[in-house]
Amino acid sequence: MKAAVLTASAVFVIALPAAAQDLTDNARYAAIVVDAQSGEVFYAQRADSARYPASLTKIMTLYMAFDALAHGTLKPTDQITMSAHATSQAPVKVYLRPGDTIDVDTAMRLIALYSANDLAVALAEKIGGGSEERFAAMMTIKAQELGMTHTRFVNANGLPDPRQISSARDLAILARAVMRDYPQYYDYFNLPSQEFRGRTYVNHNPLRSMPGIDGMKTGFTNAAGYNLVASGVRNNHRLIAVMLGGSNKTQRREHVTALMNTGFDVISRRDRGERIEIAQNEFTRAMDAEARMPEGPQPYTILADNGEMVGGNAPLSDAQLRETLEGSEQANAADVDVQRASATVKAPDVAQTLSAATNTAALVKKPAAKVAVSEKPDTAQKNSKSKKAELADKADKTAKGKKKKDPTAVYAIQIGAFKDKTLANDWAKKMKTKFSSHLASGTTDISKNDNGWYRTRFVTLTKAQASAACKDISAKHLDCMVIKPDA
C-alpha cells in the first residue's frame, strides 16, 4: 500500500496585526505548504479539518485516468461517448450532447485547464464501466491507498455534495502523488489553453504568471469557497501549496502567492546555511501586506502581476491583457467602493464633477438625520385624527410628488480595477478601441479607492449607451458593470 505521510518538521506560524484581516478568522480557511521532494510540511493551518474540495476533485479524477493510461487499460486516442447523465452536469462545461464523442486526451486537457464538469463525469464513466458512482468508489479506495485518510469521493467533478470531503493535507498528498507516480502526465495541469470545436478554452489557474509555477488546479463552490492547489520549482526545489475556503479570487491568489514566496525564501536561506526551524517572523512579514486587503470580495480580480510591465509603459498586447484579465470576477453592485453618481449631475458637467471629487462616494447625497421631538399634549390631540384620512392624504402627496424618470440622467460603466495605474490606463484605451461604437462618447475616469485599487470607468453615458456597452463587453467574457444614478 502506498502511503505519503507529511510531517510537520518546520511549522510556519502566521501572526497578523489585530486590526488586519486574519485568514484564521475565516472558519472555512485551511492551508498547507509542503516540500514536494521530502514531504516536509513548512506551514499548516487546519490541515486535517474536513473541507469541500470542489473542483480540486478533478485532480483525483485525472490521477485515476493517468493510472489507467499507465496500465494500458485506457489510451489517449480512445473515444468517450457522452451520456445523458454527463451532459446534464451543471457548468462549467463544454456543452456536448448525448451521443457526442470526444477523445480521452482532449477530454483530460479540458478537465485540467477548463474544469469541465460534463467531461469529468464522462471520463469517469469511461473508466468506471459506465458508472460514475462506481468510479467515485474507486477514487475513494485509491485515496486511502495514497494515505488520504480524511477523503471521501461520491462524484468525479466536485459539484456540491455534503458527503464529498477532503482536507488540505490530503490534497497535498494527492498533488505529490501525481508528480511522483505519473510525472509524464503532470503537464496536463500547466496547459495554457485548448482548442475544441472552434473555441479556445483558457487555463483557470491564477498563478500561472508567477515565476516557477507550473500547475495545478482551482476550485470553487459557494459551500467550499475559493480553493487552489499550486506547485512550482525554484532552484531545483519544488513546493506544493494548498489553500481552501478563500473568500474571493483576489484573496486566494494573493495568499497562495505569499505562501509560495515565503516557502521559497526559507529554502533559499537554508541553502545559504541559515538555520530556520520555526519561521514565524518570515511569514509575519510576508502576510502583513496581504492582511491589509479588504475583507469583502473585490468586484474585479486581476490575475497577472500588475507590478511588472512589459516594455516599460507600453500598452499591453492582446495576449498580455487576456492573461491579465483571465478568470476575473463579475462586478458586484453591492461593492462599497462603487457608489452611484447623483442624478442631479447632468452632462457635460459630470466629468468635471467626477474629477473634482476624491471618489464617487462624495457625489452621493446622504439623508438628513432624523431628530426625535417630544409631542406636546395639543399636538397629540391633533394626531388623533382618523387614520384613513391620514393615509389618503399621504397617498395623494406621493402621487403628486412622484418624479418622472430623468432622460438626462448620467450613467457610467466600470470595466476593471487594477493595482497599477498604468495598467488601468492601458485597459481603458484598449476597451475604448475595441468597443468604440459604445464608448466613443464616454469620458475615461480612473480613480484610486481607499484599498489601493485603480477603478477604471467610462462616464458621461446615457442609460441606453451604458446598458448596450456592458451587454457587448460581457458577451466577450469581460467584466462590466452599469453604475446607475440615484433615483
Side-chain angles (χ1 to χ4, degrees):
M1 175 183 291
K2 295 179 183 176
V5 179
L6 304 181
T7 58
S9 58
V11 180
F12 292 176
V13 181
I14 299 178
L16 300 178
Q21 178 189 15
D22 186 348
L23 282 169
T24 60
D25 287 341
N26 175 1
R28 295 186 300 185
Y29 169 74
I32 194 168
V33 179
V34 177
D35 184 308
Q37 283 95 330
S38 68
E40 177 186 4
V41 175
F42 283 4
Y43 164 70
Q45 180 69 35
R46 303 186 185 122
D48 295 309
S49 297
R51 294 290 184 271
Y52 297 126
S55 283
L56 301 185
T57 297
K58 297 183 180 84
I59 301 176
M60 190 68 194
T61 300
L62 289 169
Y63 181 93
M64 300 294 289
F66 300 156
D67 188 68
L69 289 169
H71 287 87
T73 58
L74 187 70
K75 295 179 181 178
T77 55
D78 285 348
Q79 294 296 306
I80 300 171
T81 301
M82 301 297 294
S83 69
H85 173 57
T87 58
S88 70
Q89 299 301 301
V92 174
K93 59 182 182 178
V94 296
Y95 293 94
L96 292 180
R97 297 178 180 179
D100 286 350
T101 60
I102 183 173
D103 64 85
V104 167
D105 176 63
T106 302
M108 291 196 302
R109 289 167 177 264
L110 290 170
I111 292 167
L113 70 88
Y114 187 65
S115 203
N117 290 322
D118 49 355
L119 297 184
V121 171
L123 181 62
E125 291 174 337
K126 177 73 173 179
I127 300 172
S131 169
E132 182 190 13
E133 184 178 4
R134 181 172 183 270
F135 181 81
M138 294 163 58
M139 291 169 71
T140 302
I141 292 170
K142 180 60 70 174
Q144 296 295 318
E145 290 178 0
L146 294 174
M148 300 168 63
T149 58
H150 296 87
T151 297
R152 180 191 180 189
F153 294 110
V154 296
N155 64 47
N157 53 25
L159 284 174
D161 190 308
R163 300 169 296 167
Q164 183 137 316
I165 58 171
S166 190
S167 69
R169 190 185 307 274
D170 280 6
L171 291 165
I173 290 172
L174 175 58
R176 191 176 177 219
V178 170
M179 301 169 198
R180 179 195 65 218
D181 300 340
Y182 304 113
Q184 70 271 34
Y185 300 125
Y186 177 69
D187 281 346
Y188 275 98
F189 296 103
N190 193 35
L191 296 168
S193 62
Q194 178 65 35
E195 298 285 340
F196 181 64
R197 293 194 171 187
R199 177 179 171 184
T200 301
Y201 295 87
V202 181
N203 195 311
H204 285 176
N205 190 340
L207 296 191
R208 289 191 65 253
S209 61
M210 181 179 172
I213 300 299
D214 54 16
M216 278 232 176
K217 188 78 185 66
T218 60
F220 169 78
T221 64
N222 288 329
Y226 289 86
N227 299 343
L228 176 63
V229 174
S231 183
V233 178
R234 292 185 195 172
N235 299 322
N236 297 319
H237 290 283
R238 177 177 289 279
L239 288 180
I240 298 168
V242 179
M243 176 187 176
L244 306 177
S247 298
N248 54 75
K249 288 183 178 180
T250 301
Q251 183 191 76
R252 176 178 67 183
R253 174 182 180 267
E254 296 294 335
H255 186 64
V256 176
T257 297
L259 291 175
M260 295 291 279
N261 283 336
T262 305
F264 282 125
D265 178 63
V266 169
I267 289 173
S268 177
R269 290 162 60 186
R270 281 179 172 176
D271 286 347
R272 295 195 299 267
E274 186 173 347
R275 182 180 178 183
I276 300 177
E277 294 181 357
I278 300 177
Q280 177 174 341
N281 292 336
E282 284 69 20
F283 260 86
T284 299
R285 282 196 296 269
M287 300 304 164
D288 274 351
E290 178 199 359
R292 290 191 290 271
M293 291 170 55
E295 292 195 28
Q298 291 296 311
Y300 300 86
T301 303
I302 305 308
L303 302 182
D305 185 353
N306 293 340
E308 294 181 8
M309 290 300 299
V310 179
N313 293 323
L316 298 183
S317 67
D318 285 346
Q320 291 160 349
L321 281 165
R322 186 169 59 251
E323 179 71 11
T324 301
L325 292 170
E326 279 169 12
S328 61
E329 297 178 58
Q330 289 299 319
N332 180 354
D335 188 291
V336 295
D337 294 318
V338 182
Q339 304 291 345
R340 288 163 170 76
S342 172
T344 60
V345 183
K346 304 294 190 297
D349 300 328
V350 68
Q352 182 178 354
T353 307
L354 283 172
S355 300
T358 55
N359 54 55
T360 47
L363 300 177
V364 180
K365 292 184 176 180
K366 296 182 179 180
K370 294 180 179 179
V371 181
V373 180
S374 299
E375 290 185 345
K376 295 181 181 179
D378 59 336
T379 306
Q381 188 175 1
K382 289 178 183 178
N383 286 341
S384 64
K385 67 181 182 178
S386 109
K387 262 303 185 197
K388 192 180 233 181
E390 186 179 343
L391 289 172
D393 183 59
K394 186 181 290 186
D396 183 62
K397 287 181 179 178
T398 301
K400 290 180 180 178
K402 191 174 183 180
K403 295 181 180 178
K404 295 182 179 180
K405 291 183 179 179
D406 186 354
T408 64
V410 175
Y411 281 70
I413 64 170
Q414 181 163 308
I415 48 91
F418 299 79
K419 290 183 180 179
D420 184 275
K421 191 173 183 179
T422 305
L423 274 177
N425 281 312
D426 288 344
W427 186 237
K429 293 175 184 176
K430 179 71 68 174
M431 294 291 280
K432 192 162 189 175
T433 300
K434 286 184 175 294
F435 299 95
S436 58
S437 60
H438 299 298
L439 302 179
S441 62
T443 302
T444 303
D445 177 70
I446 296 173
S447 58
K448 188 175 183 181
N449 70 5
D450 293 339
N451 295 321
W453 291 80
Y454 288 93
R455 305 288 182 173
T456 306
R457 306 184 180 105
F458 285 96
V459 297
T460 69
L461 299 172
T462 66
K463 180 180 180 180
Q465 288 173 327
S467 298
C470 271
K471 182 178 179 181
D472 281 4
I473 292 171
S474 297
K476 298 295 185 183
H477 304 289
L478 298 171
D479 290 327
C480 186
M481 178 175 61
V482 174
I483 302 177
K484 302 176 182 178
D486 284 341

